[in-house]
Amino acid sequence: MLDAVIVDDEIKALQSLTWELTNFSDEINVNASFTDPFEALTYLEKNTPDCLFLDIEMPTMDGFQFIQKLTNKNFPVVITTAYNQYAIKALKNEAIDYLLKPIDTDDLKDTIVKIRKFNAKNYTAERLEKILLSFNANPKHKKITLNTDGKLVFLNSDDILYAESDGNYSTVFLNDGHKIVLTKKLKEVNELLPESSFFRIHNSYIINLNKIKEFLKTDGYVILESNHKIPVSRQKKSDFLDML
């Protein structure tokens, strides 16, 4: 049984859609329905249904604006509309399908198949992520795990040269010349790196201690094996020398 949420500003249309969904299929249970899109957004911040049926024509906020405001997007969205000109735009705005009102039974069956495929794929990805993280938690397999661009990147300490702050973002520079941008502050990145190998040498930089080639004491810089020149802050200099 799929748990569904319906958002439609017209009460009669909402009731009709609820009736159609529950009577056309024994695979869908309507958990919640809303005529106010703002109330629906609040509900969906804390609840994750198996699918969302969303009307396009709403006066206070149309369906496309609603999709953009969703903070939780871990479920498929099906657009419901009486106007088929919205179909292409609907699919470009992260909806997996659209249904024309009144809903045709065969169309609904096809949509249910798409919903199940979407949820199965996402479940598999989520389960695999948990398996990988659990595997990596074992000290025998321990690697540095970075979450970026919808994927997990597993690195050895020796793969990383240094990390640089850019406000609420950080960039990790690798030995092979690649770099990884993270939506984390440098403080958060520092917590992911082993203290035995990495040191925050400056408010804006963390370096791999094993990659230091030179320390220019007078100038207050370290030169890494890659020839990157990283400043050492005055506040960190004493602790840095202790580490060496």
Side-chain angles (χ1 to χ4, degrees), residues 76-119:
V77 177
V78 178
I79 295 297
T80 59
T81 178
Y83 308 98
N84 62 9
Q85 69 263 31
Y86 290 119
I88 295 176
K89 187 176 180 182
L91 298 178
K92 287 183 177 180
N93 278 266
E94 303 178 54
I96 66 161
D97 206 358
Y98 76 100
L99 291 170
L100 286 176
K101 301 175 184 177
I103 294 174
D104 179 80
T105 305
D106 290 334
D107 290 342
L108 179 57
K109 288 178 180 177
D110 291 341
T111 296
I112 290 172
V113 171
K114 291 181 182 180
I115 292 170
R116 291 201 178 281
K117 285 182 178 179
F118 178 95
N119 288 340

Side-chain angles (χ1 to χ4, degrees), residues 17-27 102-106 108-109 112:
L17 180 56
T18 301
W19 185 88
E20 289 172 316
L21 290 175
T22 54
N23 283 275
F24 284 175
S25 173
D26 58 0
E27 298 183 68
I103 294 174
D104 179 80
T105 305
D106 290 334
L108 179 57
K109 288 178 180 177
I112 290 172

Side-chain angles (χ1 to χ4, degrees), residues 221-232:
Y221 285 93
V222 293
I223 307 296
L224 302 181
E225 292 176 356
S226 58
N227 289 322
H228 286 95
K229 189 176 181 181
I230 309 294
V232 182

Side-chain angles (χ1 to χ4, degrees), residues 165-184:
S165 170
D166 184 15
N168 291 325
Y169 295 82
S170 298
T171 302
V172 177
F173 293 82
L174 307 181
N175 271 333
D176 61 8
H178 287 85
K179 58 185 179 180
I180 299 172
V181 178
L182 303 174
T183 55
K184 291 180 179 292

Side-chain angles (χ1 to χ4, degrees), residues 3 5 43-51 72-75:
D3 290 327
V5 171
Y43 175 86
L44 292 170
E45 285 178 1
K46 300 177 181 178
N47 298 275
T48 303
D50 293 315
C51 56
N72 174 12
K73 295 186 179 181
N74 296 322
F75 48 82

Side-chain angles (χ1 to χ4, degrees), residues 8 25 27 40 95 128 140 145 153 170-171 175 177 193 197 206 230:
D8 194 314
S25 173
E27 298 183 68
L128 179 58
K140 292 181 181 179
T145 307
V153 179
S170 298
T171 302
N175 271 333
L193 303 174
S197 303
I206 300 169
I230 309 294

Side-chain angles (χ1 to χ4, degrees), residues 24-212:
F24 284 175
S25 173
D26 58 0
E27 298 183 68
I28 294 180
N29 175 54
V30 179
N31 264 17
S33 56
F34 300 90
T35 55
D36 184 336
F38 295 96
E39 290 181 4
L41 285 172
T42 300
Y43 175 86
L44 292 170
E45 285 178 1
K46 300 177 181 178
N47 298 275
T48 303
D50 293 315
C51 56
L52 168 67
F53 291 86
L54 176 65
D55 184 36
I56 287 295
E57 292 288 329
M58 296 185 291
T60 56
M61 180 193 306
D62 69 36
F64 301 122
Q65 292 171 326
F66 185 94
I67 291 175
Q68 296 304 315
K69 289 181 180 293
L70 276 174
T71 55
N72 174 12
K73 295 186 179 181
N74 296 322
F75 48 82
V77 177
V78 178
I79 295 297
T80 59
T81 178
Y83 308 98
N84 62 9
Q85 69 263 31
Y86 290 119
I88 295 176
K89 187 176 180 182
L91 298 178
K92 287 183 177 180
N93 278 266
E94 303 178 54
I96 66 161
D97 206 358
Y98 76 100
L99 291 170
L100 286 176
K101 301 175 184 177
I103 294 174
D104 179 80
T105 305
D106 290 334
D107 290 342
L108 179 57
K109 288 178 180 177
D110 291 341
T111 296
I112 290 172
V113 171
K114 291 181 182 180
I115 292 170
R116 291 201 178 281
K117 285 182 178 179
F118 178 95
N119 288 340
K121 180 180 178 181
N122 278 17
Y123 171 76
T124 302
E126 181 182 349
R127 187 167 179 268
L128 179 58
E129 180 177 340
K130 289 180 179 178
I131 291 171
L132 289 171
L133 290 174
S134 177
F135 175 83
N136 195 48
N138 187 323
K140 292 181 181 179
H141 313 127
K142 188 66 176 176
K143 287 191 174 184
I144 297 164
T145 307
L146 303 180
N147 195 333
T148 178
D149 291 333
K151 62 184 178 182
L152 295 175
V153 179
F154 297 93
L155 299 170
N156 294 311
S157 294
D158 202 50
D159 295 330
I160 300 173
L161 286 168
Y162 70 98
E164 182 178 3
S165 170
D166 184 15
N168 291 325
Y169 295 82
S170 298
T171 302
V172 177
F173 293 82
L174 307 181
N175 271 333
D176 61 8
H178 287 85
K179 58 185 179 180
I180 299 172
V181 178
L182 303 174
T183 55
K184 291 180 179 292
K185 293 182 178 181
L186 197 62
K187 178 182 178 181
E188 297 173 275
V189 175
N190 198 36
E191 293 171 354
L192 299 174
L193 303 174
E195 293 181 5
S196 58
S197 303
F198 293 87
F199 184 75
R200 189 167 183 178
I201 204 167
H202 187 282
N203 281 341
S204 299
Y205 295 96
I206 300 169
I207 64 167
N208 187 336
L209 295 169
N210 296 316
K211 301 297 180 180
I212 297 174

